[in-house]
């Protein structure tokens, strides 16, 4: 069920203009901002790329994920699906997998910056590898949030807005409050803080776990939301 | 059915959260940077493992300070290595009570390390300062540096340009006790001195020379800062340890090895000899230095590290008024301007260790120049090394290599054309092609 759902959703996504527009926008904006960073720093560093790309993913992944379940609910095909004995979790996992794969395909051309940097300098390859690994994990978590938001409503714009709000809240969580104790707790939920470690060249098992946990938690809740629809 | 499903979902979410909490508590870090810049050095690790009682580090950093996340990450590495070390980062403006209690300047910020009632402070949140602060907390003994007076030496309470009040304040901040001793009135180094500071005496030492000689011979330690302006001959005092002073003044010709417009103000960027005195030391500035020589044949048990030298384009001029090389009188560079001496000996069955740091310039430590480049750190590291606190001076953070990028205007335009033009263009073209194919069907 997971594979069939993922295959079908991939076809639907890539025959719509959304991933192309999102990818073109992503690369144009990221390239302009990153090259200006390189110009300022005059160092063969990939590190400034990752927070820029991370923030763009925060904004754009909800757009990719908004239609996953919301569109099916609006068109009535979700109810049709739920009427037959199809397990909910593989269905939700398939939708998440298709959107995640699409997000990664959108991100993939950014790897071009690594050979460009090697051409003009001698960058440290460690932070490049860990930085991209961080983006892959961030995308997994953001896609999870997007699928969850999409499972809660039949309106794609509402799903995108809810996912964007949650993703932005997590991105800026470390800036939430002036109180040191609360800030310390909130910082643990900050996706940008977690991504910064990857961008610097370090892999913390807790950071890997965090992104996986957000994605898994969101999918569990999304499956529950779809299940509740079946029960109605 | 609904409550059961709700319970199952809640359990699943709780299990995920629990797993994450376990991961947070048992976090492992893999540093993939080429220079391991995100890892603490082995020297720091050794110091941190000695912390057996809780230490709380308070860093006073404003939210808008550029390096705040990196400094917090550095403190987090200490915490992960030893959970007895806890830390907090607070805004000095938001916590005036804490800044007052811990005696931190609210304008410049800094860091305080507390263990019980003991507090150590440091001006910056760097690996060197945090580790040095921890090491100071760990040691029980507060070393006393005795500053010699009575023969025109630079005074530790003098606030004039060539005085040592800034150096003295810095040493006190770094956990030293300072004491002035008048060797003219009482020509003997008192028992309580862990090290002697002999800075630019301008009058012959007389009986004090014998007293200092006896102190050193008995395993004493000293920082001896000589200067071209002083004509006092310290060679008899230093000769038993394989070092001496070559009088004159060093002229530097290499453009990056002296201050602009002043060929006698040497800038030393690289250090030799592997001595802990110079390990991790930033560039230092010596405003007018004479030479420090080392004997060709050293006595058994003596090791001399000539750690600071001028460039090979320099020379030691015997006549300061002549700023050109005289092959008959002058000495071609490189000229050693600072050396560290370590002598181990067994006297009457007891091990004795004499340590000396000798420089051909004293101004680098004076109020007028101690703020330049790494001069203050040299003063601290030399004092720590002579008083046998090596753990404080061997810390050298794993610093990243500078990786210059040859990004010319033409290359920048090419990169922008490729990444802003070609890549998004190709993606949009692919989208249009898919749309056209679908429309064709």
């Amino acid at each position: 069920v997971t594979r069939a759902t993922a295959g079908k959703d991939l076809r639907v996504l890539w025959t719509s203009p959304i991933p192309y527009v999102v990818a073109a926008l992503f690369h144009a904006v990221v390239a302009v901002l990153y090259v200006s960073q390189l110009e300022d720093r005059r160092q063969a560093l990939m590190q400034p790329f990752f927070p820029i790309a991370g923030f763009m993913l925060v904004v754009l992944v909800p757009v990719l994920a908004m239609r996953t379940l919301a569109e099916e609910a609006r068109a009535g095909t979700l109810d049709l699906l739920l009427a037959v004995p199809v397990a909910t979790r593989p269905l939700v996992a398939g939708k998440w997998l298709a959107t995640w794969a699409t997000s990664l395909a959108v991100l993939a051309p950014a790897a071009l910056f690594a050979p460009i940097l090697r051409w003009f300098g001698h960058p440290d390859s460690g932070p490049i590898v860990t930085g991209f690994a961080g983006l892959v994990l961030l995308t997994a978590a953001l896609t999870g949030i997007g699928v969850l938001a999409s499972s809660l409503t039949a309106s794609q714009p509402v799903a995108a807005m809810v996912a964007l709000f949650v993703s932005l809240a997590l991105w800026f969580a470390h800036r939430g409050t002036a109180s040191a104790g609360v800030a310390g707790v909130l910082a643990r939920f900050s996706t940008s803080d977690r991504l910064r470690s990857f961008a610097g060249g370090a892999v913390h098992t807790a950071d890997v776990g965090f992104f996986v946990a957000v994605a898994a938690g969101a999918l569990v809740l999304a499956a529950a939301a779809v299940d509740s629809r079946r029960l109605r | 059915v609904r409550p059961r499903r709700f319970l199952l979902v809640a359990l699943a979410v709780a299990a995920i959260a629990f797993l994450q909490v376990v991961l947070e508590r048992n976090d492992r870090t893999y540093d993939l940077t080429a220079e391991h810049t995100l890892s603490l050095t082995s020297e720091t690790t050794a110091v941190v493992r000695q912390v057996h009682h809780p230490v709380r580090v308070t860093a006073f950093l404003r939210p808008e300070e550029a390096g705040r996340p990196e400094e917090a990450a550095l403190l987090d590495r200490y915490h992960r290595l030893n959970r007895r070390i806890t830390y907090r980062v607070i805004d000095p403006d938001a916590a005036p009570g804490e800044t007052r209690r811990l005696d931190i300047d609210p304008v410049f910020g800094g860091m305080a390390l507390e263990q019980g009632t003991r507090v150590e402070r440091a001006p910056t949140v760097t690996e060197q300062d945090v580790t040095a602060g921890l090491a100071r907390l760990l040691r029980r003994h507060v070393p006393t540096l005795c500053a010699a007076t009575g023969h025109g030496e630079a005074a530790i309470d003098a606030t004039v340009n060539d005085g040592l009040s800034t150096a003295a304040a810095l040493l006190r901040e770094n956990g030293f006790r300072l004491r002035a001793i008048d060797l003219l009135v009482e020509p003997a180094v008192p028992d309580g001195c862990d090290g002697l500071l002999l800075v630019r005496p301008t009058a012959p030492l007389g009986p004090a020379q014998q007293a200092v000689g006896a102190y050193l011979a008995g395993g004493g330690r000293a920082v001896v800062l000589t200067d071209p302006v002083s004509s006092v001959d310290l060679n008899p005092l230093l000769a038993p340890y394989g070092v001496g002073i070559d009088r004159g003044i060093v002229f530097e010709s290499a453009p990056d090895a002296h201050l602009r417009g002043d060929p006698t103000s040497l800038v030393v960027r690289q250090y030799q000899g592997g001595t802990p005195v110079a390990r991790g030391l930033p560039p230092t500035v010596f405003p007018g230095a004479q030479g420090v020589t080392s004997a060709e044949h050293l006595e058994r048990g003596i090791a001399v590290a000539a750690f600071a030298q001028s460039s090979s384009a320099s020379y030691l001029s015997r006549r300061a008024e002549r700023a050109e090389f005289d092959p008959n009188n002058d000495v071609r560079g490189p000229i050693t301007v600072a050396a560290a001496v370590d002598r181990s000996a067994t006297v009457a069955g007891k091990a004795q260790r004499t340590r000396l740091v000798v420089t051909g310039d004293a101004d680098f430590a004076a109020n007028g120049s101690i703020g330049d480049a790494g001069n203050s750190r040299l003063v601290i590291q030399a004092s720590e090394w002579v008083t046998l606190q090596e753990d404080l001076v061997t810390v050298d953070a794993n610093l990243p290599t500078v990786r210059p990028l040859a990004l010319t205007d033409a290359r920048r335009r090419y990169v922008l054309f490729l990444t802003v033009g070609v890549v998004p263009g190709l993606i949009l073209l692919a989208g249009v092609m898919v749309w056209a194919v679908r429309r064709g069907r």
Side-chain angles (χ1 to χ4, degrees), chain B residues 243-403:
Chain B
V243 286
I245 299 300
D246 202 356
R247 291 195 53 75
I249 188 159
V250 180
F251 279 83
E252 183 58 77
S253 303
D256 63 340
H258 66 79
L259 295 185
R260 188 174 289 180
D262 184 3
T264 61
S265 283
L266 312 180
V267 177
V268 178
R269 295 174 193 276
Q270 289 183 328
Y271 304 93
Q272 295 80 28
T275 171
V277 178
R279 202 170 297 164
L281 198 60
T284 41
V285 180
F286 295 91
Q290 54 192 353
V292 176
T293 58
S294 57
E296 277 188 29
H297 301 289
L298 295 170
E299 273 182 36
R300 196 179 151 84
I302 294 179
V304 176
F307 65 85
Q309 293 180 333
S310 58
S311 81
S312 54
S314 67
Y315 64 94
L316 178 76
S317 172
R318 306 286 188 197
R319 287 185 294 175
E321 70 278 8
R322 270 191 62 165
E324 66 183 58
F325 182 67
D326 175 1
N328 296 322
N329 292 306
D330 298 345
V331 184
R332 279 208 180 278
I335 307 293
T336 296
V337 293
V341 182
D342 199 349
R343 189 195 73 159
S344 301
T346 308
V347 179
K350 281 181 71 179
Q352 281 185 345
R353 197 154 194 188
T354 302
R355 278 184 169 179
L356 274 170
V357 171
V358 183
T359 66
D361 172 49
D363 294 327
F364 84 93
N367 296 336
S369 297
I370 195 166
D372 293 346
N375 288 11
S376 58
R377 194 164 284 279
L378 175 56
V379 170
I380 295 166
Q381 294 195 179
S383 304
E384 286 172 346
W385 184 73
V386 295
T387 53
L388 298 176
Q389 299 165 55
E390 282 158 286
D391 54 345
L392 302 192
V393 296
T394 54
V395 178
D396 179 15
N398 297 328
L399 297 171
T401 306
V402 175
R403 298 171 185 276

Side-chain angles (χ1 to χ4, degrees), chain A residues 131-144:
Chain A
F132 274 106
L135 286 181
V136 168
L137 288 165
L138 171 71
T139 310
L142 294 174
T143 308

Side-chain angles (χ1 to χ4, degrees), chain A residues 14-15 20 23-24 27-28 31-32 35 38-39 42-44 109 112-113 116-117 119-124 126-127 130 188 194 196 200-206 209-210 213 216-217 220-221 224 227-228 231-232, chain B residues 1-2 5 9 12-13 16 20 23-24 26-35 38 69-70 80 89-90 401-409 411-412 414-416 418-420 423-424 427-428 430-431 434 438:
Chain A
W14 286 99
T15 48
Y20 304 100
H27 288 287
V32 167
V35 172
L38 287 181
E39 222 179 333
R42 299 270 162 187
Q43 295 271 312
L112 188 66
F113 279 114
I116 289 174
L117 272 191
W119 192 9
F120 300 148
H122 300 282
D124 185 358
T130 56
R188 292 193 177 275
R194 304 272 183 180
R196 188 183 294 120
V203 177
H204 292 284
T205 49
F210 173 77
V220 166
L221 293 174
D227 261 345
S228 72
L231 290 168
R232 255 184 253 150
Chain B
V1 179
R2 277 199 170 186
R5 280 192 174 273
V9 170
V13 172
I16 291 167
Q20 181 58 22
L23 269 177
E24 293 280 354
N26 301 285
D27 185 28
R28 293 195 69 135
T29 305
Y30 300 93
D31 181 357
L32 272 74
T33 57
E35 298 86 10
L38 302 171
E70 288 75 19
R80 286 169 194 251
V89 179
I90 59 178
T401 306
V402 175
R403 298 171 185 276
L405 183 73
L407 190 69
T408 58
D409 267 357
R411 285 175 171 181
R412 186 183 60 85
Y414 177 74
V415 172
L416 280 176
L418 188 69
T419 56
V420 182
V423 172
I427 293 167
L428 286 176
V434 169
R438 285 198 70 200

Side-chain angles (χ1 to χ4, degrees), chain B residues 4 45 49 59 78 81 83 92 96 113 149 161 163 167 189 199 209 213 218 248 259 296 303 306 321 354 377 436:
Chain B
R4 189 167 157 264
T45 305
R49 292 207 193 285
Y78 282 83
L81 192 59
R83 299 279 168 177
L113 301 98
T149 65
N161 218 30
V189 179
V199 184
Q209 186 163 311
L259 295 185
E296 277 188 29
E321 70 278 8
T354 302
R377 194 164 284 279

Side-chain angles (χ1 to χ4, degrees), chain A residues 72-91:
Chain A
E72 301 253 21
R74 190 195 63 80
T77 46
L78 187 61
D79 293 330
L80 210 63
L81 258 175
L82 296 176
V84 293
V86 173
T88 315
R89 274 169 288 175
L91 179 78

